[in-house]
Amino acid sequence: MIALTGLFLAALLAATVFPAQSEAVLVVLLRAGDHPVWLLLAVATAGNVLGSVVNWGLGRFLLRFADRRWFPSSGMKRAQAWYRRYGHWSLWLCWVPVVGDPLTVVAGAMREPLWRFLTVVLLAKAGRYVVLAAITLAWFQPAPGAGGAE
């Protein structure tokens, strides 16, 4: 249970502004072979999507502070213009390092409907973890003496 909690928290933090490596945690747990692959994928995806929902929520209230000196007005205006141009289709890039997390904040600021946000983010982030698991399982065998993966 500790491993699954750690994976969930790493995935949640990795989707926010805090630095975390959910991919590394997932790969280690996949290699250990102590948990079913489907469970690891579900936990990582749930944590990562929840982190993105936190970002979306922050974005919904972010523009209230646009008149503050510390607010990154020029960056936000560029991000909003980009989001206006590409819309919810850009959310398919939410899994990409560096740009994905701010993109989910901008989606909230641009009032992207939560149902559409969740649909795209869930599919994109789950897809990333499925590909990572497939590569990991194809290239590496479980560690010697590890428990059954399935």
Side-chain angles (χ1 to χ4, degrees):
M1 191 64 172
I2 291 173
L4 296 175
T5 302
L7 176 60
F8 180 85
L9 292 174
L12 187 141
L13 289 175
T16 64
V17 295
F18 297 105
Q21 284 295 320
S22 63
E23 295 85 359
V25 176
L26 178 61
V27 167
V28 166
L29 292 175
L30 286 167
R31 291 210 25 158
D34 294 333
H35 298 89
V37 173
W38 68 265
L39 181 58
L40 294 174
L41 293 174
V43 168
T45 300
N48 214 237
V49 170
L50 181 59
S52 292
V53 171
V54 168
N55 288 348
W56 177 88
L58 289 171
R60 296 281 291 192
F61 299 101
L62 186 66
L63 295 180
R64 293 180 183 188
F65 302 103
D67 60 338
R68 306 288 167 91
R69 197 173 85 179
W70 52 264
F71 191 84
S73 296
S74 62
M76 180 55 86
K77 287 179 184 175
R78 282 193 310 271
Q80 286 176 309
W82 192 81
Y83 199 86
R84 273 189 210 94
R85 181 172 181 184
Y86 298 106
H88 70 276
W89 296 105
S90 62
L91 286 173
W92 286 101
L93 299 175
C94 68
W95 62 272
V96 176
V98 181
V99 298
D101 300 335
L103 183 58
T104 60
V105 174
V106 172
M110 296 298 293
R111 304 287 194 217
E112 185 65 49
L114 183 59
W115 69 268
R116 184 166 44 208
F117 176 86
L118 278 174
T119 301
V120 175
V121 169
L122 175 67
L123 292 172
K125 290 187 178 253
R128 180 251 329 253
Y129 284 128
V130 166
V131 168
L132 179 62
I135 291 169
T136 300
L137 296 173
W139 285 355
F140 302 105
Q141 297 298 320
E150 302 283 323

